[in-house]
C-alpha cells in the first residue's frame, strides 16, 4: 500500500500541509498569516485528523458521498470553521481512484445516496451557498427534493458548477487540478513552485469563494492584481496584506492547489529542494 | 479506539504539530524560523509520516525498540535530517502505554532486542553522540556488545542519562514530561501556553542537545538568558534571533514539550483558545 512515494492518504495529507505552509499566498492562511477564527494550526489539525477517512477512500470503502462526509466529520471537531471542505471534494475522488482519469470515472458513477451523504456533510459546516436555492443545504426539504428528482452527487455539482470552481472540477474532469499539477512540474521543486502556481492560477481564474463572499467584481479585481504581481508592477507581500486586510481569501483556488499537489506528488514532483 | 479526544496516535501527531508551530521559541524551528537544512515542513511531514508507527504502538504491536525503529524509518525519507528522534523515544512508550504510569512500566520491561532495534533506528539518523563511547552507535561492535552484556533498552538509556535528558526521562519515569504537562495546564489554552511552558523549562533545565553541540557552558548561559526573558529583563524575540544566529537550538526540551503536550491533551488540555 505504501510504495516508494507513500500511501495515497499520506500524499493527500502532505498536499494539505504543503499548501497551507507555503507563503506568501495573497489572502489565504499561510505560514505567516492567520485569520482571527481560522489559524494555521486548524488547517494542520484538519490534515492530521482526516487520515482515517482518506485511508477509507484509498481502500475504496464506501461511496464518494459517504467518504466526503467521513472526512468532514473527522475534521469538524476543531473550532476553526471550514478548513478543507472544498479540498476533500477534490481529494476524495482522487485518493479513491488514484489519479485524475480514475477520479473522473468515479465521479461519473455517483448515486443519489452520494448526494444525500454530501448534503449531510455540508450540514456539518458553514460553507457559503447562494441564497434562495431550493437545493441549498439549509433548505430542510433539500434532501427530499434530491430523492424525488433522483439527483446524483455529480448532478448536484453540475447545479453549482456555474458559481463554484470546485464543483466545476467534478463536472469538467479536473482540468484546473491538472493545470495546477502541470504548473508545479514547470516551476520546479518545493515551496516557491507552490507560490508561483498559486499566483498563476490567481491571475487567470476568478476565485468563486471570493465571488460568493464579495461579488464577482472583487474576484476579477483580485485576478488583475495578481497579474500585476506576475508582471512585476505590484509587490507580492503588499497584495497579501491588502487581501488579508479586506478578508479577500481565494479559498477555492487553495483547494485546487491542494489537489494539484496531490497529483504532482504522485507523478514524482519533489516538495524538497 | 478514537474516543472523544481522538486516538492516541492522532494526539501524538497533534502534539508534534502544535510544538513546531508554536512561536516564538528561542533557537528552534518554529512557524517563523527554519534552519537551512531543516525546515518547518520537515517537522510537519515527519508528524504526518509517523502515523502508521504510532498506530502500531497504540495497538501494542511490537516491543518499544522495534516501534521506535518503525517511527524513525517512516520519517527518515525526507532530507531534513533528524526531526523527531528524541520525540519518538518519549512518545512511543506513552502511546503504547497510554499514560505516564503505563509508559514507566513498559520502559521497565524492555529487552536486549529492544536495545538492538533502537541501535538500528539510531543508524538511520545522524543524531549526535559523545565520542569514544564503546556503546556509540557508530561503533560497529556496539550491537555485539549489547548482546554480550545483556543490556536492555532501559540499560542503554541509563548509560546515556547523565548527558541526555530524553534518556533521563526513561530512567527517572518521565518527570520533565509530567512537569511540562502540568505547566501547560497552569498556563491555560493554546499556543501561548506552549511558549510559556517552553520558556519555563528552558530557564530551569540545561538542554543536553545544546550541551552536546556547544558544551555545557553554552547550555547554562542559554538557561540564564531564558530566565532573564521570564524576569522581563531580556526580549524574547531578541533571544530567539541570538539563538538562531548561533545555531543554539534546545532540541531536547522540544522533545519533552511534545511529550508534555501529548499527556496534557489526554488530560483535557485545550490547544484551541
Amino acid at each position: 500500500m505504501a510504495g516508494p512515494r507513500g500511501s495515497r492518504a499520506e500524499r493527500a495529507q502532505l498536499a494539505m500541509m504543503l499548501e497551507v505552509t507555503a507563503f506568501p499566498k495573497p489572502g489565504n492562511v499561510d505560514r505567516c498569516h492567520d485569520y482571527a477564527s481560522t489559524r494555521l494550526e486548524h488547517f494542520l489539525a484538519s490534515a492530521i485528523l482526516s487520515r482515517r477517512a482518506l485511508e477509507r477512500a484509498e481502500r475504496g470503502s464506501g461511496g464518494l458521498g459517504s467518504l466526503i462526509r467521513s472526512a468532514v466529520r473527522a475534521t469538524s471537531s476543531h473550532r476553526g470553521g471550514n478548513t478543507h471542505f472544498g479540498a476533500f471534494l477534490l481529494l476524495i475522488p482522487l485518493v479513491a481512484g488514484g489519479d485524475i482519469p480514475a477520479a473522473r470515472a468515479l465521479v461519473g458513477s455517483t448515486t443519489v445516496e452520494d448526494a444525500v451523504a454530501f448534503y449531510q456533510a455540508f450540514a456539518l459546516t458553514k460553507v457559503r451557498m447562494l441564497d434562495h436555492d431550493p437545493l441549498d443545504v439549509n433548505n430542510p426539504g433539500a434532501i427530499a427534493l434530491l430523492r424525488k428528482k433522483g439527483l446524483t452527487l455529480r448532478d448536484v455539482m453540475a447545479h453549482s458548477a456555474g458559481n463554484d470552481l470546485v464543483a466545476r472540477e467534478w463536472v469538467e474532469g479536473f482540468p484546473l487540478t491538472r493545470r495546477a499539477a502541470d504548473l508545479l512540474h514547470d516551476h520546479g521543486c518545493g515551496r516557491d513552485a507552490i507560490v508561483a502556481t498559486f499566483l498563476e492560477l490567481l491571475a487567470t481564474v476568478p476565485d468563486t469563494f471570493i465571488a460568493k463572499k464579495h461579488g464577482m467584481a472583487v474576484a476579477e479585481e483580485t485576478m488583475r492584481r495578481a497579474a500585476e504581481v506576475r508582471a512585476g508592477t505590484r509587490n507580492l507581500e503588499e497584495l497579501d496584506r491588502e487581501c488579508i486586510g479586506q478578508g479577500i481569501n481565494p479559498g477555492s483556488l487553495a483547494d485546487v492547489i491542494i489537489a494539484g499537489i496531490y497529483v504532482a506528488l504522485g507523478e514524482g514532483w519533489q516538495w524538497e529542494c
Side-chain angles (χ1 to χ4, degrees), chain A:
Chain A
M1 185 164 94
R5 286 169 193 148
S7 72
R8 295 179 201 161
E10 270 175 3
R11 220 191 293 151
Q13 290 185 289
L14 288 175
M16 290 185 265
M17 180 276 281
L18 292 168
E19 189 283 326
V20 78
T21 52
F23 72 95
K25 284 178 316 186
N28 281 333
V29 169
D30 63 20
R31 182 164 169 174
C32 305
H33 297 103
D34 291 326
Y35 278 100
S37 59
T38 310
R39 303 196 320 269
L40 179 68
E41 291 94 320
H42 289 118
F43 283 90
L44 292 169
S46 168
I48 289 171
L49 297 173
S50 65
R51 173 65 167 256
R52 209 179 302 264
L54 292 167
E55 284 180 335
R56 266 191 65 205
E58 185 164 356
R59 286 196 307 271
S61 163
L64 294 186
S66 105
L67 292 167
I68 290 164
R69 187 179 55 199
S70 291
V72 173
R73 186 176 288 142
T75 56
S76 62
S77 61
H78 66 68
R79 295 195 287 265
N82 167 41
T83 40
H84 287 121
F85 189 84
F88 292 140
L89 281 183
L90 299 176
L91 285 174
I92 290 290
L94 288 166
V95 170
D99 57 17
I100 289 178
R104 277 187 202 128
L106 287 175
V107 160
S109 61
T110 56
T111 65
V112 175
E113 288 315 302
D114 286 315
V116 170
F118 169 77
Y119 268 61
Q120 291 162 344
F122 225 130
L124 298 168
T125 75
K126 295 197 166 48
V127 176
R128 189 171 294 264
M129 291 285 282
L130 294 178
D131 295 333
H132 312 304
D133 183 331
L135 284 174
D136 187 320
V137 67
N138 298 310
N139 178 347
I143 286 182
L145 194 61
L146 290 177
R147 288 221 162 90
K148 186 174 160 208
K149 295 196 169 190
L151 298 176
T152 69
L153 183 46
R154 190 186 173 288
D155 295 332
V156 168
M157 294 294 172
H159 181 81
S160 298
N163 53 61
D164 186 312
L165 64 81
V166 169
R168 204 159 66 219
E169 287 294 278
W170 267 56
V171 176
E172 297 184 351
F174 300 87
L176 276 182
T177 299
R178 181 65 263 163
R179 191 167 149 214
D182 291 340
L183 286 170
L184 287 166
H185 291 302
D186 290 350
H187 285 295
C189 55
R191 181 195 286 172
D192 292 346
I194 297 173
V195 171
T197 297
F198 181 68
L199 260 187
E200 191 154 339
L201 291 185
L202 194 61
T204 50
V205 181
D207 186 280
T208 49
F209 188 83
I210 296 177
K212 286 183 206 174
K213 197 167 160 192
H214 299 279
M216 186 49 88
V218 173
E220 287 174 349
E221 174 60 23
T222 305
M223 218 169 78
R224 276 191 293 275
R225 291 181 189 180
E228 287 167 10
V229 170
R230 295 190 67 229
T233 58
R234 186 182 284 269
N235 178 276
L236 174 56
E237 284 77 13
E238 191 191 294
L239 175 59
D240 190 14
R241 272 192 300 276
E242 286 169 17
C243 287
I244 295 260
Q246 295 164 44
I248 297 173
N249 56 316
S252 294
L253 286 175
D255 297 331
V256 167
I257 297 281
I258 289 172
I261 296 173
Y262 167 84
V263 169
L265 285 172
E267 295 166 343
W269 179 75
Q270 297 291 316
W271 65 268
E272 300 184 86
C273 285

